[in-house]
Amino acid sequence: MAEEKPHCKVVLANSIVKNLLEEVHDGLKKINKKPLLVGFLSSADPAARVYAEWTGKTCSENGFAFELREVDRELLEDALIDANNDPKVDGIIVYYPIFGSRQDQYLQQIVDVSKDVEGLSHRYIFNMYQNIRFLDPQNTKKSILPCTPLAVIKILEYLRIYNTILPYGNRLHGRTVTVINRSEVVGRPLAALLANDGACVYSVDINDVQQFTRGEGLRKRRHEVVEKPGWTLEDCLPLSDVVISGVPGDKYKVPLHMLREGAVCINFSSERNFRPEVKEKASIYVPAIGKVTIVVLLRNLLRIVQNKIDEEAAGNEEKSSEEKTVQATS
């Protein structure tokens, strides 16, 4: 009798977003306003337009206001500054790529840190790489993380790849993960976040492999990166119990014969990086994550609005205390 292959569970984004949406709805009840998210579309990329339409639909279905502004890319910088200065705008998202160059990185820094729902401002990126999880010394305001890497983290939590018995920061201890793609927007931040949570991560790019870890034995506060000269996917995949791929374009496919039996496979590319046969080898397969990314975006927007409300309340309290002191001494 032939040995029966393990059954692969295909997990769709819709199943994952339910709990996250409940969290968003609870957060929305605590603020007395309908947050306004403004999206800027300055690219002819069809995937960017689809993402913009999904964002608008998810916002309107879940009690958020959304406004899409289509702006010529040469006018985008001024348009972002106007949105920064507009008190009605709570959050800003820009649909990249626009110039596909360092100019895109410059535009990411134009967005005001208090409206940056994508977590791409220098302060948020610095905190993420340094493994600083809060914006204030009292640890009450969580820092904002980039949406797509955070969506992958939320998926791994949903799949119970994170071990909740362990303390925060070590919940991926013992896990080996391969991330195929080292873009500055998704691949590299994701490798850093996973390593900061205790995983051994192989970050695979077209030219080389890097290993992200928090060190052996006495674990460091933040990850460190070492080059793996001569390494390729062939070295990483057999070691990895989780494989996450986000290579753009429809030509790239993860070589299935190298996958470890029972691996968890997650695709974050707009194209399918895994062939349908992946289900014969993987234990869990997540074919797309776009819907999770948008709900994480709303979660980030809520966090930004709540941080602002808390700051204003603290400012009013301080002002009131100063006024009482003045009255008492006059």
Side-chain angles (χ1 to χ4, degrees):
M1 186 177 160
E3 192 181 326
E4 195 178 326
K5 292 221 172 217
H7 181 66
C8 175
K9 182 170 184 176
V10 178
V11 179
L12 301 178
N14 283 346
S15 314
I16 300 163
V17 297
K18 282 177 189 168
N19 288 347
L20 286 172
L21 276 174
E22 279 176 25
E23 192 186 322
V24 166
H25 294 156
D26 287 346
L28 204 51
K29 286 174 196 164
K30 292 174 187 165
I31 59 175
N32 298 318
K33 63 179 292 185
K34 193 175 187 177
L36 171 61
L37 176 64
V38 173
F40 287 93
L41 187 61
S42 300
S43 147
D45 181 1
R49 184 168 290 278
V50 167
Y51 188 24
E53 287 168 358
W54 270 10
T55 314
K57 186 170 182 287
T58 310
C59 280
S60 62
E61 285 172 354
N62 291 286
F64 291 78
F66 179 73
E67 192 181 304
L68 183 63
R69 298 180 185 175
E70 298 196 36
V71 180
D72 182 277
R73 66 183 191 170
E74 299 298 342
L75 303 174
L76 180 57
E77 185 176 344
D78 287 341
L80 289 173
I81 292 167
D82 288 344
N84 284 342
N85 295 328
D86 184 348
K88 294 191 296 296
V89 176
D90 295 298
I92 295 170
I93 175 172
V94 182
Y95 297 101
Y96 296 101
I98 295 161
F99 292 93
S101 65
R102 281 185 68 85
Q103 197 160 349
D104 283 10
Q105 290 174 22
Y106 166 69
L107 289 168
Q108 287 165 11
Q109 303 314 314
I110 295 287
V111 177
D112 191 294
V113 70
S114 69
K115 298 188 180 189
D116 175 22
V117 292
E118 294 182 278
L120 299 175
S121 299
H122 173 74
R123 184 171 183 200
Y124 294 144
I125 295 292
F126 176 83
N127 282 3
M128 178 189 66
Y129 282 125
Q130 291 292 321
N131 200 14
I132 298 167
R133 303 191 179 211
F134 293 89
L135 293 169
D136 61 330
Q138 294 78 30
N139 289 0
T140 59
K141 292 180 197 163
K142 276 195 171 177
S143 198
I144 302 296
L145 292 170
C147 297
T148 305
L150 182 54
V152 175
I153 300 292
K154 290 295 164 191
I155 289 165
L156 291 172
E157 287 178 355
Y158 175 85
L159 298 176
R160 308 197 183 221
I161 305 299
Y162 273 71
N163 183 348
T164 53
I165 294 170
L166 295 173
Y168 278 110
N170 286 324
R171 291 183 168 183
L172 286 179
H173 180 57
R175 293 290 187 182
T176 302
V177 184
T178 288
V179 178
I180 308 168
N181 165 305
R182 202 184 302 131
S183 71
E184 291 300 321
V185 178
V186 185
R188 197 159 80 94
L190 176 58
L193 285 170
L194 296 171
N196 283 342
D197 281 335
C200 167
V201 185
Y202 295 110
S203 170
V204 181
D205 206 27
I206 195 162
N207 297 318
D208 60 4
V209 174
Q210 294 178 343
Q211 184 183 28
F212 288 58
T213 64
R214 284 205 354 254
E216 299 296 327
L218 184 65
R219 304 176 81 69
K220 298 175 174 63
R221 184 177 64 83
R222 64 175 291 264
H223 71 281
E224 55 187 26
V225 183
V226 295
E227 301 287 341
K228 302 292 285 181
W231 274 50
T232 66
L233 262 184
E234 203 167 335
D235 300 285
C236 308
L237 290 182
L239 303 174
S240 300
D241 40 357
V242 181
V243 178
I244 305 164
S245 186
V247 178
D250 59 355
K251 296 201 169 40
Y252 179 79
K253 302 293 175 196
V254 175
L256 296 183
H257 68 282
M258 297 178 192
L259 275 182
R260 187 171 172 172
E261 199 77 49
V264 172
C265 296
I266 299 171
N267 175 62
F268 69 82
S269 170
S270 55
E271 304 287 345
R272 296 282 162 94
N273 282 181
F274 294 91
R275 292 186 179 85
E277 295 78 30
V278 70
K279 289 177 267 192
E280 292 170 17
K281 210 160 186 188
S283 59
I284 300 172
Y285 174 44
V286 182
I289 73 162
K291 289 180 180 174
V292 185
T293 302
I294 293 171
V295 176
V296 164
L297 182 82
L298 296 185
R299 195 171 168 269
N300 279 356
L301 176 56
L302 266 182
R303 184 159 282 165
I304 274 174
V305 172
Q306 191 61 57
N307 283 349
K308 203 170 183 181
I309 289 169
D310 292 346
E311 272 172 27
E312 285 169 2
N316 290 339
E317 209 172 282
E318 201 175 302
K319 194 177 173 187
S320 167
S321 171
E322 282 172 5
E323 284 170 356
K324 282 175 185 168
T325 306
V326 169
Q327 285 167 6
T329 55
S330 59

